[in-house]
PDB file of all heavy atoms in Angstrom:
ATOM      1  N   VAL A  87     -26.864  26.302   7.347  1.00  0.00           N
ATOM      2  CA  VAL A  87     -26.058  25.281   6.707  1.00  0.00           C
ATOM      3  C   VAL A  87     -25.249  25.851   5.694  1.00  0.00           C
ATOM      4  O   VAL A  87     -24.033  25.612   5.573  1.00  0.00           O
ATOM      5  CB  VAL A  87     -26.898  24.075   6.220  1.00  0.00           C
ATOM      6  CG1 VAL A  87     -26.067  23.178   5.385  1.00  0.00           C
ATOM      7  CG2 VAL A  87     -27.602  23.427   7.284  1.00  0.00           C
ATOM      8  N   GLN A  88     -25.807  26.601   4.656  1.00  0.00           N
ATOM      9  CA  GLN A  88     -24.969  27.293   3.691  1.00  0.00           C
ATOM     10  C   GLN A  88     -23.905  28.145   4.182  1.00  0.00           C
ATOM     11  O   GLN A  88     -22.760  28.103   3.652  1.00  0.00           O
ATOM     12  CB  GLN A  88     -25.907  28.021   2.724  1.00  0.00           C
ATOM     13  CG  GLN A  88     -26.944  27.057   1.956  1.00  0.00           C
ATOM     14  CD  GLN A  88     -27.991  27.985   1.220  1.00  0.00           C
ATOM     15  OE1 GLN A  88     -28.151  29.166   1.419  1.00  0.00           O
ATOM     16  NE2 GLN A  88     -28.760  27.272   0.303  1.00  0.00           N
ATOM     17  N   SER A  89     -24.174  28.969   5.170  1.00  0.00           N
ATOM     18  CA  SER A  89     -23.194  29.779   5.836  1.00  0.00           C
ATOM     19  C   SER A  89     -22.050  28.948   6.363  1.00  0.00           C
ATOM     20  O   SER A  89     -20.847  29.273   6.269  1.00  0.00           O
ATOM     21  CB  SER A  89     -23.779  30.727   6.819  1.00  0.00           C
ATOM     22  OG  SER A  89     -24.739  31.569   6.282  1.00  0.00           O
ATOM     23  N   LEU A  90     -22.427  27.960   7.114  1.00  0.00           N
ATOM     24  CA  LEU A  90     -21.413  27.056   7.844  1.00  0.00           C
ATOM     25  C   LEU A  90     -20.539  26.422   6.740  1.00  0.00           C
ATOM     26  O   LEU A  90     -19.366  26.389   6.944  1.00  0.00           O
ATOM     27  CB  LEU A  90     -22.112  25.918   8.682  1.00  0.00           C
ATOM     28  CG  LEU A  90     -22.860  26.493   9.944  1.00  0.00           C
ATOM     29  CD1 LEU A  90     -23.565  25.249  10.567  1.00  0.00           C
ATOM     30  CD2 LEU A  90     -21.767  27.034  10.870  1.00  0.00           C
ATOM     31  N   VAL A  91     -21.168  25.869   5.790  1.00  0.00           N
ATOM     32  CA  VAL A  91     -20.381  25.202   4.720  1.00  0.00           C
ATOM     33  C   VAL A  91     -19.396  26.131   4.069  1.00  0.00           C
ATOM     34  O   VAL A  91     -18.120  25.827   3.852  1.00  0.00           O
ATOM     35  CB  VAL A  91     -21.224  24.515   3.649  1.00  0.00           C
ATOM     36  CG1 VAL A  91     -20.478  24.175   2.484  1.00  0.00           C
ATOM     37  CG2 VAL A  91     -21.998  23.318   4.230  1.00  0.00           C
ATOM     38  N   ARG A  92     -19.858  27.345   3.740  1.00  0.00           N
ATOM     39  CA  ARG A  92     -18.965  28.353   3.148  1.00  0.00           C
ATOM     40  C   ARG A  92     -17.752  28.648   3.998  1.00  0.00           C
ATOM     41  O   ARG A  92     -16.647  28.811   3.638  1.00  0.00           O
ATOM     42  CB  ARG A  92     -19.625  29.616   2.730  1.00  0.00           C
ATOM     43  CG  ARG A  92     -20.348  29.495   1.433  1.00  0.00           C
ATOM     44  CD  ARG A  92     -20.774  30.893   0.896  1.00  0.00           C
ATOM     45  NE  ARG A  92     -21.605  31.662   1.908  1.00  0.00           N
ATOM     46  CZ  ARG A  92     -22.972  31.558   2.060  1.00  0.00           C
ATOM     47  NH1 ARG A  92     -23.586  30.727   1.216  1.00  0.00           N
ATOM     48  NH2 ARG A  92     -23.573  32.292   2.915  1.00  0.00           N
ATOM     49  N   PHE A  93     -18.083  28.872   5.322  1.00  0.00           N
ATOM     50  CA  PHE A  93     -17.047  29.199   6.294  1.00  0.00           C
ATOM     51  C   PHE A  93     -16.193  28.018   6.668  1.00  0.00           C
ATOM     52  O   PHE A  93     -14.967  28.210   6.635  1.00  0.00           O
ATOM     53  CB  PHE A  93     -17.681  29.674   7.517  1.00  0.00           C
ATOM     54  CG  PHE A  93     -16.762  30.437   8.477  1.00  0.00           C
ATOM     55  CD1 PHE A  93     -16.508  31.753   8.218  1.00  0.00           C
ATOM     56  CD2 PHE A  93     -16.146  29.831   9.473  1.00  0.00           C
ATOM     57  CE1 PHE A  93     -15.682  32.458   9.000  1.00  0.00           C
ATOM     58  CE2 PHE A  93     -15.256  30.507  10.322  1.00  0.00           C
ATOM     59  CZ  PHE A  93     -15.009  31.962  10.064  1.00  0.00           C
ATOM     60  N   LEU A  94     -16.665  26.909   6.875  1.00  0.00           N
ATOM     61  CA  LEU A  94     -15.807  25.679   7.265  1.00  0.00           C
ATOM     62  C   LEU A  94     -15.062  25.080   6.145  1.00  0.00           C
ATOM     63  O   LEU A  94     -14.050  24.524   6.412  1.00  0.00           O
ATOM     64  CB  LEU A  94     -16.768  24.547   7.952  1.00  0.00           C
ATOM     65  CG  LEU A  94     -17.479  25.017   9.247  1.00  0.00           C
ATOM     66  CD1 LEU A  94     -18.380  23.863   9.674  1.00  0.00           C
ATOM     67  CD2 LEU A  94     -16.450  25.353  10.282  1.00  0.00           C
ATOM     68  N   ASP A  95     -15.593  25.188   4.944  1.00  0.00           N
ATOM     69  CA  ASP A  95     -14.939  24.569   3.800  1.00  0.00           C
ATOM     70  C   ASP A  95     -13.503  25.123   3.536  1.00  0.00           C
ATOM     71  O   ASP A  95     -12.741  24.415   2.945  1.00  0.00           O
ATOM     72  CB  ASP A  95     -15.722  24.822   2.608  1.00  0.00           C
ATOM     73  CG  ASP A  95     -15.303  23.870   1.405  1.00  0.00           C
ATOM     74  OD1 ASP A  95     -15.129  22.691   1.667  1.00  0.00           O
ATOM     75  OD2 ASP A  95     -15.243  24.404   0.283  1.00  0.00           O
ATOM     76  N   GLN A  96     -13.130  26.188   4.081  1.00  0.00           N
ATOM     77  CA  GLN A  96     -11.724  26.645   4.079  1.00  0.00           C
ATOM     78  C   GLN A  96     -10.747  25.758   4.810  1.00  0.00           C
ATOM     79  O   GLN A  96      -9.516  25.592   4.302  1.00  0.00           O
ATOM     80  CB  GLN A  96     -11.649  28.083   4.573  1.00  0.00           C
ATOM     81  CG  GLN A  96     -12.536  29.053   3.813  1.00  0.00           C
ATOM     82  CD  GLN A  96     -12.573  30.428   4.537  1.00  0.00           C
ATOM     83  OE1 GLN A  96     -11.630  30.772   5.219  1.00  0.00           O
ATOM     84  NE2 GLN A  96     -13.602  31.147   4.330  1.00  0.00           N
ATOM     85  N   ASP A  97     -11.142  25.182   5.847  1.00  0.00           N
ATOM     86  CA  ASP A  97     -10.237  24.355   6.764  1.00  0.00           C
ATOM     87  C   ASP A  97     -10.658  22.918   6.858  1.00  0.00           C
ATOM     88  O   ASP A  97      -9.777  22.109   7.301  1.00  0.00           O
ATOM     89  CB  ASP A  97     -10.276  25.005   8.139  1.00  0.00           C
ATOM     90  CG  ASP A  97      -9.658  26.373   8.134  1.00  0.00           C
ATOM     91  OD1 ASP A  97      -8.528  26.566   7.744  1.00  0.00           O
ATOM     92  OD2 ASP A  97     -10.454  27.291   8.592  1.00  0.00           O
ATOM     93  N   PHE A  98     -11.858  22.605   6.487  1.00  0.00           N
ATOM     94  CA  PHE A  98     -12.315  21.214   6.774  1.00  0.00           C
ATOM     95  C   PHE A  98     -12.988  20.699   5.480  1.00  0.00           C
ATOM     96  O   PHE A  98     -13.505  21.451   4.621  1.00  0.00           O
ATOM     97  CB  PHE A  98     -13.309  21.160   7.900  1.00  0.00           C
ATOM     98  CG  PHE A  98     -12.711  21.826   9.116  1.00  0.00           C
ATOM     99  CD1 PHE A  98     -13.144  23.078   9.439  1.00  0.00           C
ATOM    100  CD2 PHE A  98     -11.842  21.189   9.874  1.00  0.00           C
ATOM    101  CE1 PHE A  98     -12.613  23.668  10.645  1.00  0.00           C
ATOM    102  CE2 PHE A  98     -11.333  21.740  11.112  1.00  0.00           C
ATOM    103  CZ  PHE A  98     -11.779  23.092  11.452  1.00  0.00           C
ATOM    104  N   GLU A  99     -13.054  19.447   5.344  1.00  0.00           N
ATOM    105  CA  GLU A  99     -13.825  18.714   4.343  1.00  0.00           C
ATOM    106  C   GLU A  99     -15.305  18.474   4.778  1.00  0.00           C
ATOM    107  O   GLU A  99     -15.379  17.614   5.772  1.00  0.00           O
ATOM    108  CB  GLU A  99     -13.182  17.401   3.851  1.00  0.00           C
ATOM    109  CG  GLU A  99     -13.945  16.624   2.792  1.00  0.00           C
ATOM    110  CD  GLU A  99     -13.341  15.264   2.496  1.00  0.00           C
ATOM    111  OE1 GLU A  99     -12.272  14.940   2.945  1.00  0.00           O
ATOM    112  OE2 GLU A  99     -14.101  14.555   1.862  1.00  0.00           O
ATOM    113  N   ILE A 100     -16.173  19.123   4.226  1.00  0.00           N
ATOM    114  CA  ILE A 100     -17.665  18.793   4.687  1.00  0.00           C
ATOM    115  C   ILE A 100     -18.051  17.558   3.888  1.00  0.00           C
ATOM    116  O   ILE A 100     -18.253  17.569   2.684  1.00  0.00           O
ATOM    117  CB  ILE A 100     -18.486  20.076   4.269  1.00  0.00           C
ATOM    118  CG1 ILE A 100     -18.028  21.359   4.929  1.00  0.00           C
ATOM    119  CG2 ILE A 100     -19.974  19.800   4.761  1.00  0.00           C
ATOM    120  CD1 ILE A 100     -17.773  21.304   6.372  1.00  0.00           C
ATOM    121  N   VAL A 101     -18.221  16.485   4.550  1.00  0.00           N
ATOM    122  CA  VAL A 101     -18.612  15.157   3.969  1.00  0.00           C
ATOM    123  C   VAL A 101     -20.092  15.140   3.617  1.00  0.00           C
ATOM    124  O   VAL A 101     -20.424  14.379   2.792  1.00  0.00           O
ATOM    125  CB  VAL A 101     -18.127  13.978   4.731  1.00  0.00           C
ATOM    126  CG1 VAL A 101     -16.533  13.995   4.793  1.00  0.00           C
ATOM    127  CG2 VAL A 101     -18.646  14.008   6.177  1.00  0.00           C
ATOM    128  N   ALA A 102     -20.792  15.819   4.434  1.00  0.00           N
ATOM    129  CA  ALA A 102     -22.346  15.816   4.136  1.00  0.00           C
ATOM    130  C   ALA A 102     -23.089  16.857   4.972  1.00  0.00           C
ATOM    131  O   ALA A 102     -22.446  17.275   6.059  1.00  0.00           O
ATOM    132  CB  ALA A 102     -22.953  14.431   4.412  1.00  0.00           C
ATOM    133  N   THR A 103     -24.231  17.308   4.498  1.00  0.00           N
ATOM    134  CA  THR A 103     -25.014  18.134   5.292  1.00  0.00           C
ATOM    135  C   THR A 103     -26.375  17.452   5.418  1.00  0.00           C
ATOM    136  O   THR A 103     -26.861  16.934   4.381  1.00  0.00           O
ATOM    137  CB  THR A 103     -25.197  19.542   4.785  1.00  0.00           C
ATOM    138  OG1 THR A 103     -25.843  19.495   3.498  1.00  0.00           O
ATOM    139  CG2 THR A 103     -23.850  20.296   4.789  1.00  0.00           C
ATOM    140  N   VAL A 104     -27.003  17.448   6.595  1.00  0.00           N
ATOM    141  CA  VAL A 104     -28.310  16.764   6.774  1.00  0.00           C
ATOM    142  C   VAL A 104     -29.227  17.670   7.612  1.00  0.00           C
ATOM    143  O   VAL A 104     -28.752  18.603   8.194  1.00  0.00           O
ATOM    144  CB  VAL A 104     -28.172  15.381   7.460  1.00  0.00           C
ATOM    145  CG1 VAL A 104     -27.374  14.324   6.604  1.00  0.00           C
ATOM    146  CG2 VAL A 104     -27.491  15.558   8.786  1.00  0.00           C
ATOM    147  N   SER A 105     -30.553  17.451   7.575  1.00  0.00           N
ATOM    148  CA  SER A 105     -31.457  18.409   8.179  1.00  0.00           C
ATOM    149  C   SER A 105     -32.253  17.724   9.344  1.00  0.00           C
ATOM    150  O   SER A 105     -33.241  18.398   9.781  1.00  0.00           O
ATOM    151  CB  SER A 105     -32.367  19.042   7.131  1.00  0.00           C
ATOM    152  OG  SER A 105     -32.978  18.093   6.494  1.00  0.00           O
ATOM    153  N   ASP A 106     -32.026  16.491   9.614  1.00  0.00           N
ATOM    154  CA  ASP A 106     -32.762  15.957  10.795  1.00  0.00           C
ATOM    155  C   ASP A 106     -31.942  14.840  11.470  1.00  0.00           C
ATOM    156  O   ASP A 106     -30.907  14.397  10.912  1.00  0.00           O
ATOM    157  CB  ASP A 106     -34.172  15.347  10.337  1.00  0.00           C
ATOM    158  CG  ASP A 106     -33.944  14.145   9.419  1.00  0.00           C
ATOM    159  OD1 ASP A 106     -33.541  12.996   9.814  1.00  0.00           O
ATOM    160  OD2 ASP A 106     -34.189  14.332   8.203  1.00  0.00           O
ATOM    161  N   GLY A 107     -32.344  14.482  12.684  1.00  0.00           N
ATOM    162  CA  GLY A 107     -31.559  13.610  13.507  1.00  0.00           C
ATOM    163  C   GLY A 107     -31.335  12.143  12.904  1.00  0.00           C
ATOM    164  O   GLY A 107     -30.287  11.644  13.018  1.00  0.00           O
ATOM    165  N   GLN A 108     -32.317  11.614  12.264  1.00  0.00           N
ATOM    166  CA  GLN A 108     -32.225  10.235  11.774  1.00  0.00           C
ATOM    167  C   GLN A 108     -31.247  10.374  10.536  1.00  0.00           C
ATOM    168  O   GLN A 108     -30.361   9.385  10.473  1.00  0.00           O
ATOM    169  CB  GLN A 108     -33.507   9.622  11.262  1.00  0.00           C
ATOM    170  CG  GLN A 108     -33.468   8.226  10.823  1.00  0.00           C
ATOM    171  CD  GLN A 108     -32.978   7.301  11.883  1.00  0.00           C
ATOM    172  OE1 GLN A 108     -33.493   7.288  12.956  1.00  0.00           O
ATOM    173  NE2 GLN A 108     -31.840   6.594  11.640  1.00  0.00           N
ATOM    174  N   ALA A 109     -31.261  11.278   9.689  1.00  0.00           N
ATOM    175  CA  ALA A 109     -30.322  11.454   8.681  1.00  0.00           C
ATOM    176  C   ALA A 109     -28.865  11.669   9.224  1.00  0.00           C
ATOM    177  O   ALA A 109     -27.959  11.118   8.619  1.00  0.00           O
ATOM    178  CB  ALA A 109     -30.688  12.656   7.733  1.00  0.00           C
ATOM    179  N   LEU A 110     -28.813  12.304  10.347  1.00  0.00           N
ATOM    180  CA  LEU A 110     -27.547  12.505  10.989  1.00  0.00           C
ATOM    181  C   LEU A 110     -26.947  11.124  11.496  1.00  0.00           C
ATOM    182  O   LEU A 110     -25.814  10.850  11.066  1.00  0.00           O
ATOM    183  CB  LEU A 110     -27.673  13.460  12.195  1.00  0.00           C
ATOM    184  CG  LEU A 110     -26.428  13.491  13.093  1.00  0.00           C
ATOM    185  CD1 LEU A 110     -25.204  14.011  12.428  1.00  0.00           C
ATOM    186  CD2 LEU A 110     -26.732  14.483  14.258  1.00  0.00           C
ATOM    187  N   VAL A 111     -27.769  10.384  12.136  1.00  0.00           N
ATOM    188  CA  VAL A 111     -27.330   9.062  12.534  1.00  0.00           C
ATOM    189  C   VAL A 111     -26.817   8.191  11.282  1.00  0.00           C
ATOM    190  O   VAL A 111     -25.801   7.579  11.361  1.00  0.00           O
ATOM    191  CB  VAL A 111     -28.388   8.321  13.358  1.00  0.00           C
ATOM    192  CG1 VAL A 111     -28.100   6.878  13.650  1.00  0.00           C
ATOM    193  CG2 VAL A 111     -28.707   9.121  14.644  1.00  0.00           C
TER     194      VAL A 111
END
Side-chain angles (χ1 to χ4, degrees):
V87 170
Q88 290 169 349
S89 295
L90 289 173
V91 168
R92 277 193 307 271
F93 197 82
L94 296 176
D95 195 44
Q96 298 171 27
D97 297 300
F98 308 102
E99 177 187 348
I100 308 302
V101 292
T103 60
V104 296
S105 60
D106 66 74
Q108 185 59 55
L110 170 58
V111 169

